[in-house]
């Protein structure tokens, strides 16, 4: 699922794209710090490979949220433009 799907659902539900973009920006801005906090709380013997994989996935998803398509792209994709 991509940010576009959430934006389209929010538009259909009447939530509004500006609010969803604000939420996405907030999530993206906090993702790295929150991930680091969780990782710091893990047991010392927690598998490094898993930590590395999850950290990379969170960073990738945060980037998708931060760069979510604008209103015009969402409306065009949903056929509402």
């Amino acid at each position: 699922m991509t940010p576009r799907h959430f934006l389209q659902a929010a538009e259909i539900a009447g939530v509004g794209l500006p609010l969803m973009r604000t939420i996405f920006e907030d999530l993206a801005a906090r993702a790295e710090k929150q991930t680091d906090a969780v990782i710091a709380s893990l047991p010392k013997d927690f598998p490094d490979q898993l930590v590395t994989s999850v950290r990379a996935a969170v960073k990738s998803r945060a980037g998708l949220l931060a760069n979510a398509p604008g209103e015009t792209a969402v409306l065009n994709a949903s056929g509402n433009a």
Side-chain angles (χ1 to χ4, degrees), residues 3 6-7 19-29 65-66 68:
F6 288 103
L7 292 169
L19 176 59
M20 286 304 296
R21 297 238 357 119
T22 299
I23 292 169
F24 284 174
E25 290 165 5
D26 184 53
L27 287 169
L65 292 175

Side-chain angles (χ1 to χ4, degrees), residues 22-48:
T22 299
I23 292 169
F24 284 174
E25 290 165 5
D26 184 53
L27 287 169
R30 296 172 185 256
E32 187 174 348
K33 183 177 179 182
Q34 295 300 317
T35 301
D36 290 343
V38 169
I39 290 170
S41 72
L42 295 173
K44 299 236 183 269
D45 61 344
F46 200 83
D48 285 335

Side-chain angles (χ1 to χ4, degrees), residues 1-12 17 20-21 24 61 64-65 67-79:
M1 201 171 240
T2 64
R4 178 177 49 87
H5 293 113
F6 288 103
L7 292 169
Q8 288 171 342
E11 185 64 18
I12 291 167
L17 297 177
M20 286 304 296
R21 297 238 357 119
F24 284 174
R61 291 296 179 171
L64 289 174
L65 292 175
N67 298 309
E71 183 173 345
T72 303
V74 172
L75 292 175
N76 286 341
S78 65

Side-chain angles (χ1 to χ4, degrees), residues 43-66:
K44 299 236 183 269
D45 61 344
F46 200 83
D48 285 335
Q49 185 177 8
L50 184 55
V51 169
T52 301
S53 176
V54 169
R55 187 188 306 267
V58 169
K59 183 176 181 178
S60 173
R61 291 296 179 171
L64 289 174
L65 292 175

